Amino acid sequence: QVQLVESGGGLVQAGDSLRLSCAASGHPFSSYDMGWFRQAPGKEREFVAAIAWSGIVTYYADSVKGRFTISRDNAKNTVYLQMNSLKPEDTAVYYCAAKGATMAKYLYWGQGTRVTVSS
C-alpha cells in the first residue's frame, strides 16, 4: 500500500508559477513510477506528466511540455510538479498517482489539489 498526499495548489494569475508536491508513505517510494494527472470541471481526467522510479525518464502531455517539469526526491519520498507560465486552461484538480515499474496502470491515487488560474 502507498498513501499519497498532494499539496501546493491554489489560485494564481495567468503567467504565474506553482509547485505541487506529493508526499508518499508506505511501500518503498523509490520502486514506483509516479505520475501527475488532472481533471478540469466537466472533463475527463487526463495525463499530465510521469517520472520513472529512477528519476531518469520523464514523460509529458503535449499541452504542458516546455512549461511543466516533473521531478522526484526519493530520499524525501516526494514527487514534484513545477508549473510555469500557467494558463487558464490549466485550471483543474491535480492528482498524484503511483504504479509499480512493471505495471501498466496507476494503482494508488492521492485526494487531489485544486489549481485555479485566472485570466
Side-chain angles (χ1 to χ4, degrees), residues 42-56:
K43 295 188 176 181
E44 296 288 318
R45 185 171 61 194
E46 64 175 2
F47 168 78
V48 175
I51 186 166
W53 63 273
S54 63
I56 295 175

Side-chain angles (χ1 to χ4, degrees), residues 16 26 28 32 49-50 55 60 74 79 92-93 102 112:
D16 285 351
Y32 283 87
Y60 296 94
N74 286 344
V79 62
V93 177
T102 60

Side-chain angles (χ1 to χ4, degrees), residues 38 40 46 63-64 67-68 83-94 115-117:
R38 66 186 181 187
E46 64 175 2
S63 59
V64 306
R67 299 188 298 123
F68 290 12
M83 305 186 296
N84 299 329
S85 302
L86 282 162
K87 304 176 181 179
E89 51 263 44
D90 294 318
T91 294
V93 177
Y94 284 71
V115 173
T116 303
V117 184

Side-chain angles (χ1 to χ4, degrees), residues 14 18 34 36 42 46 52 61 74 80 82 98-99 102 104 113 115:
L18 272 179
M34 301 298 296
W36 285 98
E46 64 175 2
N74 286 344
Y80 304 97
Q82 177 66 43
K99 69 175 186 70
T102 60
T113 186
V115 173

